[in-house]
Amino acid sequence: MVPRPGAHECGTEATMDLIGGKWKVSLLWVLAQRSARFGELRRALPGITEKVLAAHLREMESGGLVHREAHDEVPPRVEYSLTPLGCSLNEALEPLGKWGREHLLATG
Amino acid sequence: MVPRPGAHECGTEATMDLIGGKWKVSLLWVLAQRSARFGELRRALPGITEKVLAAHLREMESGGLVHREAHDEVPPRVEYSLTPLGCSLNEALEPLGKWGREHLLATG
DNA sequence: CTGTATCCCTCGGGATACTG
DNA sequence: CAGTATCCCGAGGGATACAG
């Protein structure tokens, strides 16, 4: 423990960059529950626009977090799901969620 | 587990708002190592401007993460430190740092 | 249904200078 | 030393329309 200065925040900030988009954490969470289509994601994230949803998905895909699978049908059908990497990131996020629930939402 | 949709990302996003500033995670980390004065923080975070450092500190203070203690001396001396809450948040951030080190920095 | 293409606009952050 | 006061800028997002 107590690694040299830099060891902690370096990894943390690199990670924060990956999920820095406004809706990315939510996206990660939704896809952790079940894979979903573009329209399902849009409905699951009320307020997000198509442009931003598409952009976030592309970024998360290129970051290796999300897998995109296009089925060649009519009407078009595209399934988005979390990669194992995306899954593990979502799990690494859980302590933050727990902290927020305990200290911010203060429901109990 | 598998709480109802919303339970996870809700707390997570609330937390993300707290540390959303560009330098806040670093600030949290630096202050977790030792309390420090304004000038020390500035030097510890090469590239940050005084304006942004001051703004971040004020926000983190009002969020209950940081404690500010002004000593009435000349020259002026102000000590910043982490509150227990700030400390616990820094700890909740550690899994994210570990994840980043393992999957992003890929040093090994 | 699954996206692109534009246009617009806020706001977080940088540069710089100045003050108690 | 520890900040404020201005001015500026670009990126990220929102709204809307259109396309395959």
Side-chain angles (χ1 to χ4, degrees), chain B:
Chain B
M1 279 307 129
V2 187
R4 70 185 179 296
H8 167 125
E9 84 282 18
C10 219
T12 307
E13 290 179 354
T15 306
M16 296 287 285
D17 283 343
L18 260 189
I19 53 178
K22 180 170 179 183
W23 304 85
K24 285 186 184 167
V25 171
S26 301
L27 218 28
L28 211 60
W29 166 257
V30 171
L31 287 175
Q33 313 309 299
R34 50 166 176 22
S35 60
R37 306 173 55 172
F38 189 88
E40 292 177 319
L41 291 173
R42 187 177 32 188
R43 282 186 295 277
L45 270 34
I48 198 173
T49 63
E50 298 162 343
K51 170 192 167 186
V52 171
L53 177 54
H56 280 184
L57 285 171
R58 270 186 270 111
E59 289 165 14
M60 293 170 77
E61 190 191 355
S62 87
L65 264 26
V66 162
H67 173 68
R68 178 186 190 275
E69 186 148 13
H71 304 262
D72 214 348
E73 313 172 352
V74 278
R77 186 173 127 245
V78 179
E79 289 278 343
Y80 291 95
S81 57
L82 244 45
T83 63
L85 188 66
C87 246
S88 68
L89 176 52
N90 185 63
E91 280 160 23
L93 235 24
E94 173 50 23
L96 229 52
K98 181 166 188 278
W99 187 93
R101 268 174 268 130
E102 289 174 355
H103 297 101
L104 264 24
L105 306 184
T107 51

Side-chain angles (χ1 to χ4, degrees), chain A residues 6-9 11-16 18 25-26 29 85 88-90 92-97 99-101 103-105, chain B residues 5-9 11-15 18-19 25-26 29 85 88-90 92-97 99-101 103-104:
Chain A
H8 166 126
E9 83 283 18
T12 307
E13 289 179 354
T15 307
M16 296 287 285
L18 259 190
V25 171
S26 300
W29 166 257
L85 188 66
S88 68
L89 176 51
N90 185 63
L93 235 24
E94 172 51 22
L96 230 52
W99 187 93
R101 270 174 266 128
H103 298 100
L104 264 25
L105 306 184
Chain B
H8 167 125
E9 84 282 18
T12 307
E13 290 179 354
T15 306
L18 260 189
I19 53 178
V25 171
S26 301
W29 166 257
L85 188 66
S88 68
L89 176 52
N90 185 63
L93 235 24
E94 173 50 23
L96 229 52
W99 187 93
R101 268 174 268 130
H103 297 101
L104 264 24

Side-chain angles (χ1 to χ4, degrees), chain A:
Chain A
M1 278 306 130
V2 188
R4 71 185 179 294
H8 166 126
E9 83 283 18
C10 220
T12 307
E13 289 179 354
T15 307
M16 296 287 285
D17 283 344
L18 259 190
I19 52 177
K22 180 170 178 182
W23 304 84
K24 284 186 185 167
V25 171
S26 300
L27 220 27
L28 211 60
W29 166 257
V30 170
L31 287 176
Q33 313 310 300
R34 49 167 177 20
S35 60
R37 306 172 55 172
F38 189 88
E40 293 177 317
L41 291 173
R42 186 177 34 187
R43 282 187 294 276
L45 270 34
I48 198 174
T49 63
E50 297 164 342
K51 171 193 167 187
V52 171
L53 176 54
H56 280 183
L57 284 171
R58 268 184 273 112
E59 289 164 15
M60 293 170 77
E61 190 190 356
S62 86
L65 264 26
V66 161
H67 173 68
R68 177 185 190 275
E69 185 148 13
H71 304 262
D72 215 347
E73 313 172 350
V74 279
R77 184 172 130 247
V78 180
E79 290 276 344
Y80 290 96
S81 57
L82 243 45
T83 62
L85 188 66
C87 247
S88 68
L89 176 51
N90 185 63
E91 280 159 23
L93 235 24
E94 172 51 22
L96 230 52
K98 181 165 187 279
W99 187 93
R101 270 174 266 128
E102 289 174 357
H103 298 100
L104 264 25
L105 306 184
T107 51

